[in-house]
């Protein structure tokens, strides 16, 4: 049998391959972990053993997942969504759970499932995928839409409900005594423990973390964070409750302190890696032979629960007064299974609440439904439009409102996004007597701004029909004032289809997508980081006595050269995460030339560094720095060459300079 280290290496290597492929296809990573588990598990290639050590490692993933849920838990946010939570989220969970328990009560003897097993199945089927659905809605800019807020409210309720479900399940599965007494006893223990932790826990944690933070040691802070999380998980497990409850409480207590954001960043690597290993172990439970042998039942277990949840959620949303189209767009992403379903099923498997064959059928159906989630979200709008005449009317009414606002405008500016930047731009245009039409997806912002007289309407600027209604074909310019590169690329594409000569200005955070946006057709790209640097430098130079005209000239030159002199910077330890997330981000790097370096005694032009994508920004010799050196400059030992380019280009250039 392989050692624990060998098993861990196998899980990590397989996960790297699967997640890398899915990320390249712009798909969520979670299905990749499940597929890896299926492939290397004891029922397929048998590369990973079905050992307690493997599952013990994965249990940490559940602990850190629940810690993250507690960290993100916000009682004010829950109150703000209470109408959705009470009228859609809670009924959806309760009705799903009740229906499955009732079916289990009737058919339990035939299929070998008791009340605890039926409860576990109902709890699992009631869950939806928070990770996948929220990511997809964020990418589609739908979190602030009507359907987006309802989806967020339902998912928030599900995340909170899973905590008591994990407490109730072991109590119901108790082999000795009355199950209701066991449940009451578990509830009492949980209530006492929570009361003690919530009463004084926040006071203790705030002072504890403050004392640790004063040591200014990131390692010490992270160690204490792990100690708090695992310590409370151990405490609840010693009390006969789920370790997940303790982790959730730890996150909830820290969320009310000023250390929340720092903790969130520190815990994220542990959570993501261990949670990935947890889903690999879930995939290892799946037996492909059992799936093939009972394929008809797998399809039934896939279609019936998904169809039932879809109908239930759509009905609840309609009772809220929403349109049929909105109900469809809410129900489709929430109808499929979620990550907490596997957490509940994993606990049910450890408690032997479900027959092995039934467990295989349910696991297979849930894996398939999660794989289908991106497709359901992608086509939810098309399906809503096809089946809902009201949705057509709503879309037409929205476009009519936009067209009505822009119909009288000629040579106006279309502002995509009416946040702070968009509102400041609109104010400047009004002061100059230039007309504008602004598009925004936040209905509250649109309502308040329109009431104050702003020319803003609700609409998705990344849709061709919306831009046409906003009068892009008659506009003098278009400005994308929000920071979302994929959406900006769609805006540029559709705007140029409607008006090929339209000047387009795009706002970005930095220069990582500057060239991509310019190549797509943006007239100007304004990176916030560069503009902030220019303003900071301008004020500093003026205060130091540099003539204002000279300062203005330098700023104009930086903009005229599309920030070429500002692009790239020297990376440090604080930029490690950015480097991981975006290896194509240009940067600066200094390379000292030693006596034995390959570049010593050679001209810059002979090294042909530009051919591999690297540019020599400067050469420092005997304390004097020369910018934009000539290609005929011969390098000498002791020189320092400043390279500019992507991480890969700089690595190749450094190897060529040093002869490695």
């Amino acid at each position: 049998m392989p050692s624990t280290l060998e098993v861990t290496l196998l899980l990590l290597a397989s996960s790297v391959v699967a997640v890398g492929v899915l990320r390249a296809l712009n798909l969520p990573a979670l299905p990749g972990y499940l597929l890896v588990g299926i492939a290397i598990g004891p029922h397929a290639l048998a590369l990973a053993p079905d050992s307690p050590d493997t599952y013990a490692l994965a249990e940490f993933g559940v602990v850190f997942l629940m810690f993250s849920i507690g960290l993100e838990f916000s009682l004010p946010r829950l109150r703000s969504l209470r109408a959705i939570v009470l009228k859609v989220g809670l009924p959806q969970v309760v009705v799903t759970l009740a229906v499955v328990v009732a079916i289990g009560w009737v058919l339990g003897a035939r299929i070998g499932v008791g009340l605890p097993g039926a409860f576990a199945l109902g709890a699992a089927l009631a869950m939806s995928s928070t990770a996948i659905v929220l990511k997809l809605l964020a990418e589609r800019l739908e979190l602030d839409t009507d359907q987006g807020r309802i989806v967020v409210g339902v998912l928030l309720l599900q995340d909170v409900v899973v905590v008591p479900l994990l407490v109730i399940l072991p109590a119901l599965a108790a082999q000795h005594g009355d199950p209701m007494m066991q449940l009451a006893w578990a509830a009492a223990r949980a209530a006492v423990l929570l009361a003690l932790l919530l009463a004084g826990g926040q006071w203790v944690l705030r002072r504890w973390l403050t004392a640790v933070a004063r040591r200014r040691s990131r390692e010490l802070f992270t160690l204490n964070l792990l100690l708090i999380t695992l310590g409370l998980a151990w405490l609840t497990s010693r009390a006969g409750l789920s370790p997940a409850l303790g982790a959730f409480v730890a996150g909830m207590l820290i969320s009310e302190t000023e250390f929340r954001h720092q903790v969130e960043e520190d815990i994220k690597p542990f959570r993501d890696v261990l949670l990935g290993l947890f889903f690999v172990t879930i995939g290892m439970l799946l037996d492909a032979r059992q799936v093939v042998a009972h394929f008809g039942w797998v399809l039934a277990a896939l279609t019936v629960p998904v169809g039932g949840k879809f109908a239930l959620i759509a009905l609840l949303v309609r009772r809220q007064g929403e349109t049929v189209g909105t109900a469809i767009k809410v129900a489709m992403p929430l109808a499929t299974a979620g990550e907490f379903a596997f957490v509940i099923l994993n606990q049910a498997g450890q408690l032997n609440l479900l027959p092995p064959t039934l467990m295989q059928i349910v696991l297979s159906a849930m894996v398939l439904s999660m794989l289908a989630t991106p497709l359901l979200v992608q086509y939810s709008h098309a399906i809503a439009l096809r089946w809902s005449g009201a949705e057509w009317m709503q879309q037409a009414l929205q476009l009519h409102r936009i067209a009505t606002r822009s119909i009288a405008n000629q040579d106006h500016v279309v502002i995509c996004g009416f946040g702070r930047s968009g509102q400041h731009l609109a104010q400047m245009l009004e002061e100059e007597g230039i007309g504008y039409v602004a598009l925004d997806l936040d209905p509250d912002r649109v309502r308040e701004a329109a009431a104050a007289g702003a020319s803003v309407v609700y609409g998705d600027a990344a849709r061709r029909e919306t831009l046409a209604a906003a009068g892009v074909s008659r506009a003098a310019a278009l400005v994308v004032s929000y920071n979302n590169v994929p959406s900006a690329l769609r805006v540029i594409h559709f705007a140029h289809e409607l008006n090929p000569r339209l000047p387009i200005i795009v706002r970005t955070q930095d220069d990582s997508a500057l060239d991509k946006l310019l190549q797509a057709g943006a007239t100007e790209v304004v990176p916030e980081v560069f503009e902030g640097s220019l303003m900071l430098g301008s004020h500093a130079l003026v205060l130091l006595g540099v003539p204002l005209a000279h300062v203005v000239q330098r700023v104009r030159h930086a903009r005229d050269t599309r920030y070429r002199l500002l692009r790239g910077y020297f990376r440090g330890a604080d930029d490690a995460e950015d480097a991981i997330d975006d290896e194509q981000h240009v940067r600066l790097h200094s390379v000292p030339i030693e006596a034995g370096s390959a570049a010593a005694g050679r001209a810059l032009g002979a090294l042909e560094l530009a051919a591999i994508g690297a540019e020599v920004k400067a050469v420092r010799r005997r304390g004097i720095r020369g910018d934009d050196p000539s290609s005929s400059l011969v390098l000498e030992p002791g020189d320092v060459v400043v390279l500019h380019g992507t991480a890969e280009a700089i690595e190749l250039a450094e190897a060529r300079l040093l002869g490695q």
Side-chain angles (χ1 to χ4, degrees), residues 540-622:
L541 291 175
V542 170
L543 289 174
L544 291 171
V546 177
L548 180 61
H550 183 65
V551 174
V552 172
Q553 184 179 3
R554 291 186 65 90
V555 172
R556 184 182 295 118
H557 177 67
R559 290 171 178 157
D560 289 344
T561 57
R562 299 201 188 277
Y563 309 98
R564 189 180 67 85
L565 298 178
L566 301 180
R567 298 182 68 179
Y569 61 98
F570 296 105
R571 296 294 178 108
D574 293 340
D575 305 306
E577 291 184 4
D578 292 336
I580 293 172
D581 292 338
D582 187 8
E583 287 297 324
Q584 297 305 310
H585 203 125
V586 293
R587 62 203 68 197
L588 297 175
H589 180 60
S590 298
V591 181
I593 305 300
E594 306 293 343
S597 299
R602 299 181 63 185
L604 281 176
L607 295 171
E608 297 182 346
L609 299 180
I612 56 178
E615 178 187 358
V616 178
K617 297 286 289 185
V619 174
R620 188 169 183 267
R621 178 175 293 175
R622 289 185 284 276

Side-chain angles (χ1 to χ4, degrees), residues 14 230 233 240 270 304 359 377 419-420 440 470 481 491 543 585 620:
S14 305
L230 298 178
F270 300 98
V304 173
M359 177 73 87
V377 174
R420 180 176 294 183
D440 199 274
S481 67
V491 171
L543 289 174
H585 203 125
R620 188 169 183 267

Side-chain angles (χ1 to χ4, degrees), residues 253-334:
L253 292 174
I254 293 176
S255 71
E256 299 300 324
T257 70
E258 61 272 25
F259 301 100
R260 173 187 172 180
H261 298 294
Q262 177 66 38
V263 168
E264 195 170 9
E265 287 302 313
D266 287 346
I267 208 71
K268 188 176 180 180
F270 300 98
R271 181 199 66 188
D272 292 346
V273 172
L274 293 172
L275 189 60
L277 294 180
F278 168 75
F279 286 115
V280 171
T281 60
I282 290 296
M284 289 170 58
L285 297 174
L286 196 61
D287 187 349
R289 292 169 297 182
Q290 292 283 344
V291 173
V292 173
H294 302 90
F295 190 68
W297 286 108
V298 171
L299 286 180
L302 171 64
T303 55
V304 173
V306 170
K309 281 179 67 178
F310 174 85
L312 173 61
I313 295 171
L315 178 63
L316 292 171
V317 174
R318 284 287 289 149
R319 287 188 59 193
Q320 275 279 93
E322 302 291 342
T323 65
V324 174
T326 300
I328 292 174
K329 287 183 285 187
V330 169
M332 291 195 74
L334 295 178

